[in-house]
Amino acid sequence: CIRYFMMKQWYQRRVRAKSRSKQSNSEAKAKAKQVALEEEQLIRQREANETALAAIGSRKRPKAEFVDTGGIGGTNPRFRNHRINLKDVIFLCENDSFLKKSSLLFKLHINPVKS
């Protein structure tokens, strides 16, 4: 008789515990779904912002892109071409220790290139 009563109590506790775990699982699933939806919404918003900025033309310059050359060095930044004038080249030659004594600097001072 006592054994039956104890078994009944144990069974009722087990049933209650299972129902609690089912509720918590459903709550956890709902919360996970909500978090996933928020993340998707955030990603869509970012993509929309990037598209809008690309259409308008953003004010910031993009950073140097890293291109994989496949060589030993790995990735190298892609540099842009810059226009320089003759005064810049002469200044560079005068300040560089190797180019100070070069014939290039001598020729630039004697016969400047006319542009």
Side-chain angles (χ1 to χ4, degrees):
C1 198
I2 294 174
R3 191 171 197 184
Y4 172 76
F5 180 72
M6 293 192 58
M7 288 292 282
K8 191 175 179 182
Q9 280 185 339
W10 175 81
Y11 182 74
Q12 287 175 348
R13 278 191 226 132
R14 187 168 178 208
V15 169
R16 276 191 240 132
K18 279 186 179 180
S19 66
R20 278 190 221 128
S21 68
K22 284 181 184 177
Q23 287 175 352
S24 65
N25 280 345
S26 63
E27 290 172 2
K29 286 179 184 177
K31 196 169 192 176
K33 234 183 219 185
Q34 185 181 5
V35 169
L37 287 173
E38 288 175 0
E39 287 177 0
E40 287 177 14
Q41 200 174 26
L42 186 65
I43 290 170
R44 279 193 218 121
Q45 185 69 33
R46 281 186 193 158
E47 289 175 357
N49 286 344
E50 288 174 4
T51 307
L53 284 175
I56 294 171
S58 76
R59 295 180 182 180
K60 291 184 179 179
R61 282 188 166 184
K63 294 181 180 177
E65 298 175 10
F66 286 94
V67 180
D68 188 15
T69 57
I72 298 170
T75 58
N76 292 329
R78 181 185 296 171
F79 295 105
R80 296 182 179 184
N81 293 336
H82 294 284
R83 290 186 173 195
I84 58 170
N85 46 7
L86 190 59
K87 288 180 184 178
D88 295 334
V89 174
I90 292 173
F91 179 78
L92 176 74
C93 290
E94 287 174 348
N95 290 326
D96 189 61
S97 60
F98 178 75
L99 294 175
K100 262 184 199 177
K101 302 168 189 171
S102 70
S103 61
L104 175 67
L105 181 60
F106 180 73
K107 288 177 185 176
L108 285 174
H109 279 298
I110 301 245
N111 295 326
V113 178
K114 294 178 177 121
S115 48

